[in-house]
């Protein structure tokens, strides 16, 4: 081999001396000892964990049994202690409901009696001393043509209000929700809410001054040579007039529930629909109305359950103007026969029939809501 090849190959490796060999052996022995100590600590830790798991296993089994008994729910006593402040706040309202809604239910016993309030000065004593007649009062109710006429008027008014009144708050809520300026929206809401706080006497007076025989419209027509009219005393249009009065008074108040539902709609849905090319009507149909559907179903169920209550005070105030043939409903029928005619047992039987029919209606409407996939008044 030439000298140039030797220089290109570089210096030859040198054999390690004795000191470097001893240093390498000590390092290998220390790494072996550290590895064995790490294995020993790992095994000790594992054995300690096994002992702890064996010691805690009975309590774990106990907690699993308790969890399976309660199905993951908080115990009743703990919930009562947690919510005791809220429960105390509901006590006054609960007392009012019990005193004025549930205690009077006991008075329905007079529907099975020939109740005479003059038997005793004490109403409870008079109930106890009045003779029992069984279902005789109900037989009188079902055989009375006046009762069935009142039922017919009640259902006609209910259907009119359901078709003409119920959609109005939804349309008003959509209209108010489309107003962008907050100050203008507040003014519109105040104007819509205000008639709700008027009494029925004032509402009927306002309609009388506009649509009555001496109202503004009739006087204006007479001044221009036309014949006037009096819608307030016309039995043919009375049911539509009652529906119009109810819309003017309470439609704005019904907007509150729908506006609250619209406030909970995620605005990202509107933005996504707009990006997909959906216009205003498309966004309302595919985003807004589906968000209102649970609220609409709930209010519809409640309205159907209240079908036989179509406005006692409103109809009683106008009963004499159009006659009982057009204005007599179940509420006025019960009042007229019970208080004016002093036939308390007969009126109680008619009122009890009304309550049972209302209960059947609300349960049927709630079942229909469940079949349509909505929650209704209560969950399944």
């Amino acid at each position: 081999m030439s000298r140039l090849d030797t220089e290109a190959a570089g210096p030859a490796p040198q054999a390690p001396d004795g000191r470097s060999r001893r240093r390498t052996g000590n390092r290998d022995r220390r790494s072996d000892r550290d590895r064995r100590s790490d294995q020993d600590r790992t095994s000790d830790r594992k054995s300690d964990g096994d002992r702890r798991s064996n010691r805690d296993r009975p309590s774990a089994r106990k907690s699993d049994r308790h969890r399976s008994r309660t199905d993951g729910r908080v115990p009743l006593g703990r919930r009562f202690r947690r919510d005791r402040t809220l429960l105390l706040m509901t006590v006054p309202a609960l007392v009012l409901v019990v005193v004025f809604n549930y205690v009077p239910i006991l008075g329905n016993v007079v529907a099975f009696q020939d109740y005479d309030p003059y038997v005793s000065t004490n109403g409870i004593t008079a109930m106890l001393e009045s003779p029992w007649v069984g279902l005789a009062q109900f037989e009188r109710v079902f055989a009375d043509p006046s009762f069935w006429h009142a039922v017919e008027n009640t259902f006609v008014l209910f259907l009119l209000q359901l078709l003409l009144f119920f959609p109005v708050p939804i349309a008003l809520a959509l209209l108010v929700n489309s107003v962008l300026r907050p100050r203008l929206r507040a003014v519109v809401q105040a104007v819509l809410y205000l008639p709700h706080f008027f009494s029925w006497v004032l509402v009927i007076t306002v309609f009388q001054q506009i649509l009555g025989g001496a109202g503004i419209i009739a006087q204006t027509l007479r001044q221009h040579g036309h014949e006037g009219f009096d819608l307030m005393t016309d039995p043919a249009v009375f049911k539509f007039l009652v529906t119009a009065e109810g819309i003017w008074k309470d439609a704005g108040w019904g907007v509150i529930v729908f506006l609250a539902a619209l406030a909970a709609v995620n605005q990202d849905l509107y933005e996504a629909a707009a990006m997909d090319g959906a216009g205003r009507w498309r966004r309302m149909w595919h985003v807004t109305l589906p968000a209102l559907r649970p609220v609409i179903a709930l209010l519809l169920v409640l309205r159907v359950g209240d079908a036989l209550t179509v406005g006692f005070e409103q109809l009683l105030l106008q009963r004499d103007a159009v006659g009982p043939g057009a204005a007599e409903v179940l509420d006025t029928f019960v009042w007229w026969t019970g208080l004016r005619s002093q036939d308390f047992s007969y009126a109680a039987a008619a009122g009890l029939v009304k309550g049972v029919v209302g209960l059947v209606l609300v349960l049927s409407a709630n079942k229909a809501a469940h079949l349509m996939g909505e929650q209704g008044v209560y969950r399944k």
Side-chain angles (χ1 to χ4, degrees), residues 75-278:
L76 181 61
R78 186 179 301 174
R79 280 186 292 170
F80 182 81
R81 289 192 299 270
R82 182 191 62 190
D83 301 332
R84 61 181 179 273
T85 304
L86 297 176
L87 293 174
L88 288 175
M89 292 173 63
T90 61
V91 167
L94 184 62
V95 171
L96 289 176
V97 170
V98 170
V99 171
F100 292 102
N101 290 87
Y102 286 95
V103 173
I105 293 177
L106 301 176
N108 286 324
V109 69
V110 301
F112 304 93
Q113 296 177 328
D114 187 9
Y115 177 69
D116 186 2
Y118 304 106
V119 172
S120 174
T121 57
N122 190 343
I124 298 178
T125 304
M127 289 173 56
L128 296 176
E129 295 182 358
S130 297
W132 290 85
V133 296
L135 300 178
Q137 302 294 347
F138 294 94
E139 294 175 358
R140 287 181 56 199
V141 168
F142 293 133
D144 191 352
S146 299
F147 171 78
W148 293 110
H149 182 70
V151 171
E152 179 184 354
N153 285 340
T154 302
F155 275 106
V156 170
L157 276 174
F158 162 68
L159 292 176
L160 281 176
Q161 292 181 2
L162 187 65
L163 295 177
L164 301 179
F165 178 87
F166 190 78
V168 173
I170 303 174
L172 289 177
L174 295 175
L175 179 63
V176 173
N177 190 62
S178 64
V179 177
L180 298 179
R181 297 182 180 180
R183 187 171 300 177
L184 180 59
R185 180 183 298 183
V187 173
V188 173
Q189 289 177 346
V191 172
L192 292 175
Y193 299 162
L194 186 61
H196 174 75
F197 300 99
F198 295 161
S199 66
W200 276 114
V201 176
L202 182 58
V203 172
I204 294 172
T205 302
V206 170
F207 274 78
Q208 179 68 37
Q209 295 299 321
I210 298 175
L211 302 176
I216 297 174
I217 298 178
Q219 290 183 7
T220 303
L221 289 175
R222 292 191 188 98
Q223 290 174 1
H224 291 79
H226 300 283
E227 185 180 357
F229 60 86
D230 187 4
L231 295 181
M232 301 298 293
T233 58
D234 189 356
V237 298
F238 176 72
K239 295 180 176 62
F240 296 95
L241 179 66
V242 169
T243 305
E245 292 171 354
I247 292 174
W248 186 76
K249 185 177 186 296
D250 291 325
W253 187 253
V255 172
I256 296 177
V257 179
F258 295 106
L259 284 179
L262 288 175
V265 179
N266 190 357
Q267 297 300 318
D268 295 340
L269 298 177
Y270 291 105
E271 296 177 2
M275 292 178 63
D276 290 339

Side-chain angles (χ1 to χ4, degrees), residues 174 270 278-291:
L174 295 175
Y270 291 105
R280 176 174 297 181
W281 294 103
R282 286 281 186 177
R283 292 197 298 269
M284 183 186 69
W285 184 260
H286 293 288
V287 178
T288 306
L289 290 180

Side-chain angles (χ1 to χ4, degrees), residues 264-317:
V265 179
N266 190 357
Q267 297 300 318
D268 295 340
L269 298 177
Y270 291 105
E271 296 177 2
M275 292 178 63
D276 290 339
R280 176 174 297 181
W281 294 103
R282 286 281 186 177
R283 292 197 298 269
M284 183 186 69
W285 184 260
H286 293 288
V287 178
T288 306
L289 290 180
L292 291 178
R293 194 173 65 179
V295 180
I296 293 174
L298 175 60
L299 295 180
L300 185 61
V301 169
L302 295 177
R303 186 67 193 92
V304 171
D306 206 27
L308 302 184
T309 303
V310 289
F312 168 73
E313 184 181 357
Q314 177 189 10
L315 294 168
L316 186 64
L317 289 171

Side-chain angles (χ1 to χ4, degrees), residues 18-35:
R19 184 180 301 175
S20 63
R21 281 197 299 271
R22 284 195 301 271
R23 195 177 297 124
T24 304
N26 293 334
R27 198 161 43 241
D28 294 339
R29 283 193 294 272
R30 278 199 302 270
S31 63
D32 292 339
R33 283 199 304 271
D34 294 340
R35 194 180 300 110

